[in-house]
Amino acid sequence: MRFTSLVIELIRARPRLIVWIAVLLQAAMWLFVALVFYRSPPGSLATLLAFGREYQVGTDLGPPLPIWLADIAYRIAGNHMFGVYVLAELCEIATFVALYHLARAVVGSQQAVLAVLLTMTVLTFSSPALDFGPLVLARPIWTLLLLHSWQIIGQRRGNAWFAWSIEAGLLLLTTPAAILLLSLLAIFAVATADGRRTLRALDPLFALVVVAVLALPYAVWLMRAETLVLPSLPQAADLNARALNAAWLFGGLVLGAAAIPALAFLNSGWFAEKTEEPPIIYRPPVEPLARNFVYFFALAPALGAVLIAGLFGLDGVVGGAGVVLVMAGLAVVVAAGDLIAMRRVRMVRTVWTAAIVAPAVGVVLAVLAMPWTGTGEIATSMPARAISDFFDESFARRTNHRLRAVAGETQLASLIALHSGRPHLFIDADPARTPWMNSAKFNETGGVVVWRASDTAGTPPPEILKRFPGIVPEVPRAFEWLVTGRQQLLRVGWAIVRPKGT
């Protein structure tokens, strides 16, 4: 009697259940890591929340939608970062569920599971899991946009135009890369007979009206801010450096997707015994239009994003690796054929699990081990709650007023701005970034100025003394890291700017 793995049987019988189990377990894993090992937000998330508190139509952080949503989630959770982490994982879940529905329409429900599982390994290594922002929010919106684009072009479902228009407008409010992504959709529609047939109807015109209405406020802000200017083209002497940068970015994308060829190699027939009859994952034949759709959107966004980033000397792939690689797993499944033999299931399953868990394990090991090596700080180990509580209470005790603004070193000031009182962030080094606050208003309302203390007296850095000439530094406050190890305590120098009239 031939034995078939339970996982294979579940993929055949309950494919949607497998997708939900895998996606929810991954989300639970990252939420556990965040709750246990994160005492401060990752990346620039604290600054994003400080900007979100102001509900500006536009800032130098980009379109407003991710900034607003982060602040809403933070408030709903009672001014706790858990709400933002849940929002990031909901985006992750929505991405894979939408991808499953798209893949099911192309390759059937059984192979759609394989497409989702492969894509999970790509996004795990190539994009942030908890650092909510444009890169995270754009993933589900782009995936939903691809799903409804296929429904419109490939399945001729005119009722998908309304959802498509909403998603296109939201994408424009999420990431500057929306122009590139929407242009690629237009190119595919114009280049295919089915796409041109779809564009002859009136529905695309109504969709454009909805998109324009959604994006109009941000477009007006861009024109008023005079930011609609492309970076300068490279000089001839810079072409080699720009080409090398593009090659590095492309190599990063390939490395992020490295788990897919590794799993394909392990599942190949080279290691299988001749007498083995592996279980088969079946699909109906894929239409040529569907095959072209998958291949185009697996390759064109990645190549276009790398080309633009290399041309203008950008540090990262336009739109983020998680967006441009979201179709990679489905493309591999389409290329694999109508019958996919599942060989060495136990080893493949183990390698897949290791690929999913490895980034989270790396985060935990870094938090626990790096402090003992003295090689650097872990930003997420800063005690954000203790820092914000101390400076809020100190200001209230000294002035009998609620803390309304905080300035100085942006990283520390952003953490203090997370306090339940939500003081305004003032980036005094570049006041144009925070138009809701300026030096005159800061001196009027009062606030706290913070910096990294380099001595026991808490002497402010020269640039801060220049911007706040009258401040009197207080005794620095020392805070413990999550794991102190061999590194010194986090010493924060600070000074109070008293409100006028006190």
Side-chain angles (χ1 to χ4, degrees):
M1 180 177 179
R2 189 175 69 176
F3 171 77
T4 302
S5 168
L6 176 61
V7 174
I8 301 298
E9 293 297 337
L10 285 175
I11 290 176
R12 290 169 170 172
R14 301 293 298 275
R16 185 179 299 179
L17 177 63
I18 288 291
V19 170
W20 277 104
I21 290 176
V23 170
L24 290 177
L25 285 178
Q26 185 190 38
M29 174 187 69
W30 279 111
L31 288 176
F32 173 79
V33 170
L35 290 177
V36 177
F37 298 100
Y38 279 16
R39 295 180 69 183
S40 288
S44 59
L45 185 52
T47 304
L48 185 89
L49 286 168
F51 277 57
R53 177 240 189 278
E54 310 299 335
Y55 286 92
Q56 300 285 305
V57 174
T59 66
D60 68 333
L61 296 184
L65 185 59
I67 305 174
W68 294 349
L69 290 180
D71 184 74
I72 292 171
Y74 187 71
R75 292 175 184 270
I76 290 176
N79 293 323
H80 197 286
M81 287 304 304
F82 181 73
V84 187
Y85 297 145
V86 169
L87 177 60
E89 292 311 308
L90 287 177
C91 289
E92 195 88 354
I93 293 171
T95 300
F96 294 125
V97 171
L99 178 63
Y100 170 74
H101 285 282
L102 173 59
R104 185 177 64 177
V106 174
V107 297
S109 57
Q110 295 183 13
Q111 290 198 9
V113 177
L114 302 183
V116 172
L117 296 180
L118 289 176
T119 306
M120 289 177 68
T121 65
V122 175
L123 300 192
T124 296
F125 279 97
S126 61
S127 59
L130 297 169
D131 189 2
F132 180 80
L135 300 182
V136 173
L137 182 59
R139 290 201 302 257
I141 298 177
W142 172 237
T143 310
L144 286 168
L145 198 58
L146 288 173
L147 169 63
H148 290 119
S149 297
W150 173 247
Q151 290 177 349
I152 292 169
I153 297 175
Q155 299 178 329
R156 301 183 185 179
R157 292 171 53 179
N159 58 356
W161 271 111
F162 180 71
W164 187 96
S165 63
I166 298 295
E167 291 150 6
L170 294 180
L171 191 65
L172 287 168
L173 295 176
T174 299
T175 172
I179 301 296
L180 168 66
L181 300 175
L182 294 177
S183 299
L184 292 176
L185 285 172
I187 290 172
F188 183 84
V190 172
T192 57
D194 295 85
R196 291 192 296 271
R197 186 183 304 111
T198 301
L199 295 178
R200 294 191 186 104
L202 291 177
D203 291 330
L205 296 178
F206 293 119
L208 288 177
V209 172
V210 175
V211 172
V213 170
L214 287 173
L216 182 61
Y218 182 60
V220 171
W221 179 87
L222 286 175
M223 290 185 288
R224 288 182 175 180
E226 299 181 353
T227 58
L228 288 173
V229 179
L230 289 175
S232 59
L233 293 174
Q235 301 293 328
D238 299 330
L239 289 179
N240 288 337
R242 299 288 176 91
L244 183 61
N245 180 46
W248 276 107
L249 294 176
F250 183 77
L253 292 182
V254 173
L255 187 61
I260 289 183
L263 291 170
F265 178 73
L266 291 175
N267 191 55
S268 64
W270 294 354
F271 300 105
E273 298 179 3
K274 295 182 179 180
T275 58
E276 180 185 3
E277 295 184 13
I280 302 297
I281 303 298
Y282 166 80
R283 76 171 185 225
V286 177
E287 301 174 2
L289 178 64
R291 190 180 299 271
N292 293 336
F293 182 88
V294 171
Y295 289 160
F296 181 82
F297 288 105
L299 296 174
L303 296 177
V306 169
L307 179 62
I308 293 174
L311 183 64
F312 295 112
L314 304 179
D315 294 332
V317 175
V318 175
V323 172
V324 301
L325 292 178
V326 76
M327 293 286 282
L330 180 55
V332 171
V333 170
V334 169
D338 296 342
L339 303 177
I340 298 180
M342 300 301 295
R343 306 177 182 89
R344 302 173 66 86
V345 175
R346 182 175 299 177
M347 176 174 289
V348 170
R349 184 178 61 201
T350 301
V351 173
W352 178 87
T353 304
I356 297 297
V357 174
V361 173
V363 169
V364 173
L365 291 178
V367 169
L368 298 179
M370 278 191 64
W372 295 99
T373 63
T375 57
E377 299 177 352
I378 301 295
T380 54
S381 295
M382 287 185 179
R385 181 72 64 178
I387 292 173
S388 62
D389 287 346
F390 171 79
F391 290 109
D392 182 82
E393 294 170 2
S394 297
F395 185 85
R397 200 166 48 244
R398 300 286 186 90
T399 66
N400 203 27
H401 285 73
R402 182 170 63 89
L403 179 61
R404 296 185 179 276
V406 58
E409 185 180 323
T410 302
Q411 183 184 25
L412 293 173
S414 298
L415 295 181
I416 300 172
L418 294 178
H419 191 268
S420 57
R422 303 304 300 277
H424 297 281
L425 173 66
F426 175 41
I427 302 180
D428 51 281
D430 188 4
R433 294 188 62 196
T434 51
W436 53 85
M437 180 66 63
N438 53 42
S439 297
K441 190 173 182 180
F442 185 84
N443 291 328
E444 181 181 347
T445 62
V448 171
V449 184
V450 292
W451 60 88
R452 291 288 190 100
S454 58
D455 54 34
T456 56
T459 305
E463 57 272 16
I464 288 183
L465 274 176
K466 183 179 180 180
R467 292 189 290 267
F468 300 97
I471 60 173
V472 178
E474 306 284 345
V475 176
R477 179 70 164 85
F479 299 92
E480 291 188 355
W481 303 83
L482 176 63
V483 177
T484 302
R486 295 181 179 178
Q487 61 187 345
Q488 296 182 354
L489 296 177
L490 174 62
R491 298 187 182 277
V492 180
W494 59 293
I496 289 180
V497 176
R498 300 183 68 86
K500 285 188 176 180
T502 60

